[in-house]
């Protein structure tokens, strides 16, 4: 048997709000509650189990590899919802996407403050790409 990533628990102050945000922005569906968890499953079968907790939550980072068409949909939904976006994890390029490795990438936060990222190419797949380090402004983005 190979080793596959199966699920993770995403801590939040409001599992409903966070799970529905993830699902809406990423074009996924929220599953039926399973005890304290509210699941959202990705196309490759990995489940994000959202759990409401009453403690300080450290920021986590979740990155999603998506197709070019899926990226277009995610970006449009972020802009439409008024969710701030940026081209980098440090916020040096707000209202922009990156073009690293000849693909596209965007960073944004979920309602719990977790850092989310959608990319169309895994990092390091084209280290010679002339687009590495290039950002593009997104009209209408906040």
């Amino acid at each position: 048997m190979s080793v596959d990533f199966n699920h993770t628990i995403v801590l939040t102050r409001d599992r409903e709000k966070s799970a529905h945000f993830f699902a809406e922005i990423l074009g996924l569906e929220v599953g039926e509650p399973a005890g304290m968890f509210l699941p959202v499953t990705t196309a490759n079968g990995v489940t994000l189990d959202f759990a409401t907790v009453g403690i300080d939550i450290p920021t986590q980072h979740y990155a999603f590899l998506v197709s070019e068409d899926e990226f277009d949909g995610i970006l449009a939904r972020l802009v439409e919802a008024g969710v701030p976006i940026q081209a980098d994890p440090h916020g040096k390029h707000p209202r922009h996407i990156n073009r690293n490795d000849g693909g596209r990438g965007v960073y944004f936060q979920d309602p719990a403050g977790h850092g989310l990222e959608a990319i169309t190419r895994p990092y390091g797949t084209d280290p010679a790409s002339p687009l590495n380090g290039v950002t593009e402004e997104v009209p209408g983005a906040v």
Side-chain angles (χ1 to χ4, degrees), residues 49-65:
D49 288 318
F50 291 83
T52 300
V53 294
I55 59 171
D56 288 336
I57 303 167
T59 299
Q60 298 292 309
H61 176 75
Y62 301 94
F64 300 91
L65 182 61

Side-chain angles (χ1 to χ4, degrees), residues 8-94:
T8 191
I9 297 170
V10 180
L11 301 179
T12 180
R13 294 283 184 175
D14 183 337
R15 74 179 190 173
E16 297 283 337
K17 185 176 181 179
S18 290
H20 285 279
F21 175 85
F22 264 75
E24 181 179 319
I25 295 297
L26 297 175
L28 302 171
E29 294 184 13
V30 176
E32 292 296 319
M36 68 181 285
F37 303 113
L38 189 58
V40 174
T41 303
T42 64
N44 63 338
V46 174
T47 302
L48 303 167
D49 288 318
F50 291 83
T52 300
V53 294
I55 59 171
D56 288 336
I57 303 167
T59 299
Q60 298 292 309
H61 176 75
Y62 301 94
F64 300 91
L65 182 61
V66 302
S67 70
E68 290 289 338
D69 287 341
E70 289 165 330
F71 188 90
D72 289 339
I74 290 167
L75 191 57
R77 290 186 290 272
L78 289 167
V79 170
E80 182 178 323
V83 176
I85 65 165
Q86 55 201 42
D88 64 296
H90 307 292
K92 294 180 182 176
H93 302 281

Side-chain angles (χ1 to χ4, degrees), residues 96-120:
H96 285 71
I97 62 169
N98 70 60
R99 296 302 315 272
N100 295 334
D101 293 295
R104 296 185 291 165
V106 64
Y107 292 82
F108 54 100
Q109 285 191 335
D110 82 335
H114 296 305
L116 307 182
E117 177 183 9
I119 55 174
T120 61

